[in-house]
Amino acid sequence: MSLSVDVYVPRAEGGIEVLDVPPGRSDAAGRESWRTEVWGSEPVRSLGARFLPRLAIEDLAVAPDEVSAFIAECDLVRTHAARIAEHLGAGPETGTEAGTEAEPEAGPNTGLAGPGTSAEWHADEVSRYLDNILDAARRASDVGGGIIIW
């Protein structure tokens, strides 16, 4: 399973309406395991992040009035992508050396980590998922909505 990021708008009569992902955009927010391995990891928590680490225990809903703070947190996490990638390590032990090419079906935004993936590959993967999350947060800000990562 994979995490998805969606934009929602509050309904006047109560509840929320989850908006469709626009064509050419992605709702991918990482693999399910990223709840603890990345977004809830010590490197992310040590930055003072307060939104993303909640994914370690529950789905994340960011209210419309919190979106700008969430965007700032994501920007902060992006600046430390290399440190977060070091925490992820070089992938499972498969007999390939770290830094070698990942299997063809693996790659950033595929939801699959290839064997022997490098810290640079992981940093790129973190950045690509953050791109999707930030894109959703900016779209939410534009319509006065919030986001859900689930």
Side-chain angles (χ1 to χ4, degrees):
M1 284 188 56
S2 296
L3 294 172
S4 297
V5 57
D6 288 296
V7 175
Y8 75 86
V9 290
R11 289 185 170 167
E13 65 276 0
I16 62 170
E17 177 184 352
V18 176
L19 304 181
D20 291 335
V21 179
R25 306 283 179 81
S26 175
D27 66 349
R31 293 179 294 284
E32 185 68 26
S33 63
W34 277 36
R35 287 177 176 274
T36 55
E37 292 174 5
V38 178
W39 309 130
S41 69
E42 176 56 29
V44 172
R45 289 191 322 268
S46 71
L47 297 172
R50 66 183 182 100
F51 294 104
L52 291 170
R54 292 195 332 230
L55 283 164
I57 56 171
E58 63 188 357
D59 292 340
L60 174 63
V62 178
D65 64 343
E66 298 177 308
V67 170
S68 62
F70 179 73
I71 289 171
E73 179 175 312
C74 291
D75 286 336
L76 174 66
V77 169
R78 178 190 303 286
T79 65
H80 295 277
R83 182 171 147 220
I84 295 163
E86 288 172 7
H87 168 77
L88 288 171
E93 190 61 45
T94 61
T96 59
E97 294 182 27
T100 60
E101 197 66 27
E103 292 178 3
E105 69 273 17
N109 278 346
T110 64
L112 301 171
T117 52
S118 68
E120 182 180 334
W121 186 88
H122 283 299
D124 185 54
E125 188 177 36
V126 170
S127 291
R128 288 178 191 257
Y129 285 126
L130 277 170
D131 286 344
N132 296 339
I133 293 169
L134 280 164
D135 177 64
R138 289 182 182 115
R139 285 186 282 118
S141 181
D142 290 346
V143 298
I147 66 154
I148 304 170
I149 301 177
W150 46 1

